[in-house]
Amino acid sequence: PPAPRSGRLIAEIKDLSHSYGEQILFLGANLEIERGDRIAFVGPNGAGKSTLLRLVMGIETPDEGSAGLGEHNVIASYFEQNQAEALDLSKTVIDTMFEAVPDWTQTQVRSLLGSFCFSNDAVFKEVGKLSGGEKARLALALMLLSPCNLLVLDEPTNHLDIPAKEMLEGALRDYEGAALVVSHDRYFISRVANKIVEIRDGELVVYRGDYAYYREKKAEESAATQAALEAAEQEAKRKAKRDKQKAKEAARKSAA
Ligand SMILES: Nc1ncnc2c1ncn2[C@@H]1O[C@H](COP(=O)(O)OP(=O)(O)OP(=O)(O)O)[C@@H](O)[C@H]1O
Ligand SMILES: [Mg+2]
């Protein structure tokens, strides 16, 4: 459903530092998220991607600095990494939906469930008997029921098969709000993101382009690092050679 338009600033991370014990996740990180941004956060397991989303959503409080949503009309919907586990297992699929939108008609609910790949029979299944992917689809459908102008999605494609993933890609492309997405699925990222943010050494490194642009820049960066390493190696070799020559000369002089 359409949501009211938000202010320009959707979310902001300012001088953010956050650690767990000895483990420093963020150290003076900054990021401004604006209307129209479709950001994919990338980084290895344990980099702090889920933590960052929780900080932005205000579920967790930062040690230092700040993280949070913009002040003007930002309405966020948050899909946690294990959102599907929070469903009530004893209800049926259709009752779960009706609980969220009691004034919808049977046709409306079934048509939405249909677009999330639930067949006519499947809508009467108990949630506890659904597969992992079916539960994930139901959790996504539920999230998309309420109007929002920011979607915060933590690994939404986990457990999804290819048609369900394509459905989600399509839904995100039609969606007009901003999106913050964490995913390890490169193909999915390449379809939905217009900016890539890498969590690196406690900072947020922004690549202002899609995934192809990010890969290109990363290749350039690693080529530059490689070239710098090689240059340093060459210089070290030259210096060693010069030092050897100097030593030889010194030995010759002292012999003479
Ligand atoms: N409440 C907590 N207490 C202690 N450590 C935590 C807590 N929450 C997260 N961590 C640690 O912080 C690190 C980052 O966790 P986080 O879940 O943000 O990683 P992630 O980038 O989302 O990883 P993944 O790709 O595996 O989902 C992990 O090493 C995790 O163990
Ligand atoms: Mg995570």
Side-chain angles (χ1 to χ4, degrees), residues 20 23 25 43-51 54 60 81 155 184:
Y20 293 115
Q23 189 180 9
L25 294 183
N45 291 138
K49 304 177 296 298
S50 297
T51 304
R54 283 199 304 274
E60 208 157 320
Q81 192 160 355
E155 301 200 19
H184 292 286

